[in-house]
Amino acid sequence: MNIDLLSETGILHVEQVMGTTVTLDVRDQHLTRAELARAVLAAVEALHEADRMFSTFRPNSAISQLRRGNRQPEHLPADVVSVLVRCAAAAELTRGWFDPWAMPGGFDPTGLVKGWAAQRALRQLTRWGARHALVNAGGDIAVSGNATATPDGSGWAVGIQDPFQASGLLTTVRVREMSVATSGAYERGSLAIDPANGLPVLRLASATVIAADLALADACSTGAGAHGPDALLWLTAARGVEALLITLDGERLTTPGWPTGETLDPAPGA
Amino acid sequence: MKPVALTLSGLVLGLTAVLPLARQAATPPQLGVQIAPVAAPPPPTNLGAPRLAPTARTVSVTGPVVATRYGPVQVRVVLTGHRLVSAVAVQLPDGDGQSRSINRAAGPALARQAVASQGTVDGISGATWTSNGYRRSLQAALDAARAAATVPVATG
């Protein structure tokens, strides 16, 4: 194969990292295969770096040292500080329903880090020349440009998994420069923790949140899963955030700005 | 970095994700499930790209025979680039007269739905899957279709 050829079809890469599978789907047609490979390599490295810093399963990760009290906050890497700041902001926005400081076993930003890492991987793809890309980190999606790889503004069509039927979609939303995160108990059981008592809860079948930043969308969907249907109150109050909640009875609840048509896209986040 | 490890066998796995549509076509549509059809994609524009580049290839794949509640089902799909352009039911349950007439309607419906679901969805948002869960996911089916369409043609 000649690696200097223009790709025309882009590149698809699937990476096992952070305990899940991450899809990198780059649609740019006018980069060479070598350029695409370099962009993907940078994005993959960003994902593994995030895993090394934030895995609570790795005893030597910065987050594990922080949990043990072996590191003072002023000696933390800048990326860890950045995640801590985002966690604090998300805790406030979710009115405490996303609270990494209230997790059993100590500080645990897992509910935000996967989205943060995927958003960072997308930034690497952009930095290396990819203008039309999608990163899907185990169901949490960040996109840039358009799936058509042309400047037509059509964005990306994101299907939202039906929590009650493995091969079905609840709906499809078209997003431009926006992120989509979903939490639910149907893949790995309930991972939602009630911050009030540290106990696992099952209060929604699924919670999908659209926001400009995938870290925030991830934290909001995690917090909604812990809170239940009443999360709609703070999700509606949050600027630049839209949500679709599926109750345990299968009822659909949406924020007023949730896109109702197949081709509507939400206003860019505030 | 390893190259994309997905192969056509992955597409076959993906087909099994599409197949439940066959059952759906033969039964009343389930509430809460809607796969939105979107207008056909615009014709590809090459924008003067050098013809040295491999063009989007057309790939035809026939899936495995899968046993369903109604009998064996087998589907053949054709992909051009990252678009699923057609899906044809090669084999459908052939029971009594009633199911034969249902099948005549289900075949085209299956093809339409398969094209609608894969041709217009670029990614799937869902609860975090494990590596095993990924293999069963709709995202894996999409990835298999994309991988088949993006593997470069060997030149020499």
Side-chain angles (χ1 to χ4, degrees):
Chain A
M1 147 192 6
N2 187 339
I3 204 161
D4 293 327
L5 292 177
L6 292 180
S7 74
E8 282 213 356
T9 55
I11 193 169
L12 182 95
H13 181 85
V14 178
E15 185 76 11
Q16 305 289 334
V17 61
M18 303 187 294
T20 187
T21 303
V22 180
T23 297
L24 307 169
D25 186 349
V26 184
R27 299 283 171 96
D28 290 74
Q29 300 173 349
H30 301 288
L31 296 176
T32 65
R33 300 207 75 81
E35 288 168 332
L36 286 171
R38 191 168 53 187
V40 165
L41 185 63
V44 164
E45 176 50 36
L47 293 169
H48 283 283
E49 190 188 7
D51 194 31
R52 283 194 296 274
M53 277 190 286
F54 293 103
S55 173
T56 54
F57 298 103
R58 294 168 184 257
N60 292 323
S61 69
I63 214 70
S64 293
Q65 295 184 35
L66 183 67
R67 281 152 67 97
R68 287 195 303 269
N70 289 0
R71 283 230 204 173
Q72 295 307 309
E74 60 267 30
H75 296 133
L76 291 169
D79 284 332
V80 177
V81 173
S82 166
V83 163
L84 286 171
V85 169
R86 281 156 192 270
C87 283
E92 189 178 337
L93 187 145
T94 62
R95 300 181 186 176
W97 287 101
F98 170 77
D99 187 348
W101 289 273
M103 295 297 106
F107 178 73
D108 186 351
T110 303
L112 176 145
V113 159
K114 186 157 52 65
W116 177 82
Q119 191 80 58
R120 213 156 160 261
L122 180 68
R123 212 169 299 132
Q124 286 297 320
L125 292 175
T126 306
R127 191 176 152 229
W128 288 94
R131 281 172 296 178
H132 307 284
L134 173 147
V135 177
N136 188 348
D140 294 344
I141 294 178
V143 302
S144 67
N146 308 301
T148 54
T150 62
D152 63 1
S154 60
W156 294 74
V158 174
I160 295 165
Q161 177 69 54
D162 185 336
F164 300 111
Q165 198 202 7
S167 62
L169 299 178
L170 288 169
T171 185
T172 301
V173 290
R174 198 165 272 283
V175 290
R176 287 188 299 200
E177 313 294 332
M178 295 289 280
S179 302
V180 187
T182 299
S183 292
Y186 52 89
E187 283 287 339
R188 298 180 298 170
S190 183
L191 302 175
I193 300 287
D194 189 333
N197 53 23
L199 297 175
V201 289
L202 178 57
R203 290 171 175 162
L204 285 174
S206 83
T208 299
V209 174
I210 302 178
D213 178 44
L214 186 54
L216 181 66
D218 199 4
C220 285
S221 67
T222 303
H227 190 183
D230 290 345
L232 207 61
L233 291 170
W234 50 260
L235 286 164
T236 300
R239 289 183 66 194
V241 171
E242 301 299 342
L244 166 65
L245 310 181
I246 308 299
T247 68
L248 297 175
D249 296 332
E251 192 188 351
R252 293 181 188 216
L253 308 171
T254 62
T255 53
W258 178 264
T260 50
E262 66 197 33
T263 57
L264 290 183
D265 39 357
Chain B
M1 181 183 64
K2 283 183 295 186
V4 176
L6 288 167
T7 62
L8 288 184
S9 68
L11 178 59
V12 168
L13 277 179
L15 274 176
T16 60
V18 176
L19 276 169
L21 294 168
R23 293 205 301 276
Q24 195 181 317
T27 54
Q30 285 175 275
L31 287 176
V33 179
Q34 43 176 265
I35 296 172
V38 177
T45 52
N46 281 322
L47 300 175
R51 297 313 303 164
L52 288 173
T55 53
R57 280 190 300 159
T58 297
V59 182
S60 173
V61 184
T62 303
V65 178
V66 175
T68 73
R69 192 146 57 98
Y70 303 97
V73 173
Q74 189 177 27
V75 179
R76 181 168 62 236
V77 297
V78 177
L79 302 151
T80 298
H82 58 78
R83 295 263 165 209
L84 181 59
V85 292
S86 75
V88 178
V90 185
Q91 189 179 348
L92 283 170
D94 189 25
D96 54 21
Q98 191 190 356
S99 65
R100 262 196 299 278
S101 74
I102 288 171
N103 284 343
R104 271 198 296 279
L110 168 66
R112 274 199 306 277
Q113 290 190 48
V115 170
S117 65
Q118 288 226 340
T120 64
V121 177
D122 303 307
I124 304 291
S125 180
T128 308
W129 44 70
T130 61
S131 299
N132 268 330
Y134 167 77
R135 291 193 198 109
R136 296 187 305 270
S137 71
L138 291 170
Q139 182 65 47
L142 290 177
D143 289 348
R146 269 288 283 157
T150 56
V151 173
V153 180
T155 56

